[in-house]
């Protein structure tokens, strides 16, 4: 049995107007999810601190992890939501952002492994800090690319 809709079918003009309204709403949302200039560099700096903490002093490692990977990114995400009025996970919101985020995560993991091997196996004391600088640059650059993909995906979504 086919269920019957309580409403009458839309005429083409009404349907077109509804689709135009949806398109305009997507454009407005895409404009609102623009991150402030400080967001991606801030995330990068917090990761750089996490990376650099073992190079500075072994006792800073817990602080580097807790602050640099946990609390500071959460605080920046809170400030981002407050400044834009929209809460969206920039890194996982759409297919395009997830693909870029996966590549970014793999590169970040590579920096962690490289820094760890150079610092502890080879004995280069500031290797993790140098990889932290690379993580900052990677995060700032990739964050803007991810945001561009997010805007494109939100505007073009069906």
């Amino acid at each position: 049995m086919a269920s019957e809709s309580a409403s009458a079918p839309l005429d083409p003009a009404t349907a077109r107007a509804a689709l135009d309204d949806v398109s305009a709403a997507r454009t407005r949302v895409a404009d609102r999810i623009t991150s402030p200039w400080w967001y991606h560099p801030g995330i990068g700096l917090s990761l750089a601190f996490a990376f650099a903490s073992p190079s500075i002093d072994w006792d800073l490692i817990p602080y580097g992890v807790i602050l640099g990977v946990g609390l500071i990114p959460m605080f920046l995400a809170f400030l981002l939501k407050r400044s834009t009025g929209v809460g969206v996970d920039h890194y996982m919101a759409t297919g395009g952002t997830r693909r870029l985020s996966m590549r970014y995560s793999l590169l970040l993991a590579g920096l962690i492994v490289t820094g760890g091997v150079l610092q502890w196996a080879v004995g280069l004391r500031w290797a993790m800090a140098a990889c932290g600088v690379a993580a900052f640059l990677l995060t700032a650059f990739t964050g803007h690319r991810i945001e561009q993909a997010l805007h494109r995906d939100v505007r073009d979504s069906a």
Side-chain angles (χ1 to χ4, degrees):
M1 270 196 206
S3 66
E4 294 185 26
S5 174
S7 63
L10 295 176
D11 63 272
T14 305
R16 173 53 44 205
L19 289 173
D20 290 342
D21 288 344
V22 169
S23 178
R26 276 191 306 235
T27 300
R28 283 192 307 275
V29 168
D31 290 340
R32 290 205 60 190
I33 57 178
T34 300
S35 300
W37 67 269
W38 48 262
Y39 179 71
H40 300 293
I43 295 290
L45 283 174
S46 71
L47 289 176
F49 173 68
F51 271 82
S53 62
S55 293
I56 297 168
D57 188 354
W58 279 92
D59 294 338
L60 289 179
I61 292 174
Y63 298 105
V65 172
I66 292 168
L67 290 172
V69 178
L71 295 178
I72 294 172
M74 284 179 15
F75 182 67
L76 290 173
F78 167 77
L79 291 177
L80 174 67
K81 181 179 178 184
R82 191 171 167 101
S83 69
T84 63
V86 178
V88 63
D89 182 357
H90 283 65
Y91 296 93
M92 301 303 279
T94 66
T97 61
R98 281 190 294 273
R99 283 188 295 278
L100 285 170
S101 295
M102 181 58 71
R103 291 181 194 135
Y104 163 72
S105 298
L106 290 173
L107 290 170
L108 207 57
L111 285 173
I112 292 169
V113 169
T114 301
V117 167
L118 290 174
Q119 179 132 350
W120 290 293
V122 177
L124 295 174
R125 174 164 178 191
W126 293 99
M128 285 297 291
C131 287
V133 172
F136 165 75
L137 296 171
L138 177 68
T139 302
F141 174 75
T142 306
H144 289 293
R145 298 259 335 262
I146 289 171
E147 188 164 320
Q148 290 170 352
L150 177 63
H151 289 208
R152 182 181 57 249
D153 291 349
V154 168
R155 281 192 178 104
D156 295 346
S157 66

